[in-house]
Structure formats: C-alpha cells, structure tokens
Amino acid sequence: MQLLMSTALVLPLLTYLVCGGKSSHFTRRLQKNQETYPDSTTNSLLIPNVTSMPKCAVLCHRTDCEAFDFDSDRSTCRFLSYNSQPGKSFFINTDIESCHSLPAGNPSGVYNIKISQQLKKRVFCEMESAGGGWTVLQNRFDGSQNFNLKWDDYKNGFGTPHGEYWIGNENIHLLTSSQPYTLRIELGQVSGQQGYAEYEIFTVSSEKDFYRLQISGFSGNIHNSLKYHSNYNFSTPDSDNDTRSTVNCASYFRGGWWFRSCYLVFLNGVYRADGSRSFSINWRYFPTRNRIGLKSSRMLIRPV
C-alpha cells in the first residue's frame, strides 16, 4: 500500500496514516445499536454523534474499516469503502509484531502480525477477554463459513479474521514452534451458558508430522475433554490420519480436526443454530455427557 503523504497524525492508542485504503463488510460488524446512514453519493457509511477523531478511528478499526473521515463541526464519522480523497481521509496502520505486543487499551480487531521472519498475516487480536493479547486461531458463531474443507484449505487457512475463520495449520505450527504458547478455548451454548478451557502449553507440529496436537497444563470451568486428542494427527476428508481403521472421521463428521477414534471435542463441525447434536460443533461433558451442538466457539493463543 503506497503512502501518499509523509505526515502522520499521532493520537492515543492508534496511528493514522494517509494512504490508499480499502475495506469491506464493515456495516454488519458495527454494534447493533449504532445509528448509521448509507451515503450512496460518496460510497460511504455516515455515523452521527461521534465527538472525536479517536472515537471515529476506534469504531473504524473495530469493524475492519481502513479509511475514514471525521467532521468535528457536524460530529460525524464517515467510513469509506476506499480512500477516495488521499490527503484528507485517514488510514489506520495495523502492522504489529504480534497481538501480545499491543499495549493495553488497544481495541480488539484485525491486525497484520508477523507469523515468521518471512511471513505476515491478517489475524483477529482479542484484547478484552482474559487479559487480552490473544491471537484468534478459530472462530465460529453464525455458520457463514463452510468448515467441511480439504487438507490444503486447513493448511493455509480460510474465512476472514473478522468473521468465521481458521487461521491455518501451517501458521499455527510456525507460531507455536517459535516460542511456548498458551491455548484458550471459549464456548457458548444455545442456552447462553458459557465455558472455557485453557492449556498452559500448546504446540502443533509440522505438516510432515501431520500437524500433531500437543497440549498440557489444563485449567477451566469445563471438563478436560480435549486431552483425549493430545498427541494425535490432524485429519481432513481428503487426508485420513486418525486411528480408526473402518471410518474416516473427518469425512464422516464433515470437517477437519485432530481426530482419534473419533472425538470427544470437535469444534469444526457443522454449525447448528438450534443446538442439535447431528454432526455439530461440540465438546463432550459441556454441559453434560451427551453431545450438544454449540452456538459458538473460539480458539485463541498467546505466548506463555
């Protein structure tokens, strides 16, 4: 992305750079009570009653908007689908070393982090849950993304960081092989009941080793069901690496996972908004022994 002005305006928490930015789908990611007015003449979204540029910038960043205008006289914030007025509109610079390196108080949102010395990737940084600084590996909440995909899809990642998402097994391997990481899993039932599990040490091996999962050091308010999958390979419908000789668990249950024979935990199953159990996202013993379809799940990591 080309920098069009050398001047930078520094404000609390975020830096604004004038350049050619582009954003998409930010309308549905605003808070439900946020008043907005689409402006077809300028291909933008107008938000009234915004009293400061930092507030406008935070709203923009939280919705993955990149370019915005702020009108102090009218107290309005305008999200742009692209930076149509270089030199006037602002772009949020989201390049960072890691989610964990963000200062406290920075908003949750999509950032570009360094996966390795050669690779950067757009990820969602969770800055509010359990102390913040988490990189989101997986997110399920509305069924908009198909998770019944192939080995290469799971290897490289799919979905979008602000929506339903899998960061990619290769990226998980590169991150967790660089230093020790903690894994946090957050679950939600249709009933509204919430649960979490944390594993002090979480690693995923290389593709040559079939992205083998290793976890230890459990804590949380739900049963340690993921322990069943520790030290087992990742499988997808087109790459059967589980221990069950008669069934390809990934093909049968319609999604990639660290299957054994077959699972107690499966967070990449079919999304069932009604909580039904059939081929669904579930965690056995949350809340009962029987498998119940989950309404939401997130997998997050940060350095130990």
Side-chain angles (χ1 to χ4, degrees), residues 130-149:
W134 300 96
T135 300
V136 177
L137 306 184
Q138 183 251 32
N139 196 11
R140 308 291 306 277
F141 57 90
D142 66 1
S144 58
Q145 171 64 48
N146 177 22
F147 275 68
N148 187 21
L149 297 175

Side-chain angles (χ1 to χ4, degrees), residues 25-155:
H25 307 299
F26 45 70
T27 307
R28 71 180 180 89
R29 294 194 300 278
L30 284 167
Q31 295 178 356
K32 291 183 178 179
N33 61 353
Q34 185 74 59
E35 190 178 12
T36 62
Y37 299 98
D39 187 345
S40 58
T41 60
T42 59
N43 195 21
S44 63
L45 186 73
L46 188 67
I47 305 171
N49 304 316
V50 179
T51 55
S52 69
M53 182 177 285
K55 183 177 179 181
C56 179
V58 168
L59 285 172
C60 178
H61 180 68
R62 282 178 174 166
T63 57
D64 201 32
C65 147
E66 294 177 0
F68 68 92
D69 288 337
F70 173 68
D71 189 327
S72 58
D73 294 332
R74 295 182 175 85
S75 295
T76 57
C77 178
R78 188 184 300 273
F79 293 176
L80 307 175
S81 59
Y82 62 95
N83 195 345
S84 58
Q85 296 179 299
K88 177 184 176 183
S89 303
F90 293 97
F91 170 77
I92 299 178
N93 180 16
T94 58
D95 285 347
I96 58 173
E97 189 74 16
S98 67
C99 293
H100 188 61
S101 69
L102 282 169
N106 269 57
S108 299
V110 179
Y111 295 82
N112 296 314
I113 71 165
K114 185 183 288 185
I115 299 290
S116 68
Q117 289 299 321
Q118 296 77 31
L119 178 64
K120 279 198 167 186
K121 186 171 179 66
R122 284 165 61 81
V123 302
F124 193 92
C125 294
E126 172 54 57
M127 299 303 296
E128 298 167 20
S129 180
W134 300 96
T135 300
V136 177
L137 306 184
Q138 183 251 32
N139 196 11
R140 308 291 306 277
F141 57 90
D142 66 1
S144 58
Q145 171 64 48
N146 177 22
F147 275 68
N148 187 21
L149 297 175
K150 296 182 178 181
W151 182 265
D152 284 348
D153 297 308
Y154 273 96
K155 173 183 175 178

Side-chain angles (χ1 to χ4, degrees), residues 182-183 197-202 215-220 224:
T182 292
L183 170 69
E198 284 192 15
Y199 295 89
E200 185 177 0
I201 300 297
F202 164 71
I215 52 171
S216 62
F218 170 78
S219 62
N224 183 12

Side-chain angles (χ1 to χ4, degrees), residues 141-143 189-190 270-276 293-295:
F141 57 90
D142 66 1
Q189 294 282 3
V190 173
V270 179
Y271 186 85
R272 305 290 185 187
D274 61 356
S276 60
L294 297 172
K295 185 177 182 180

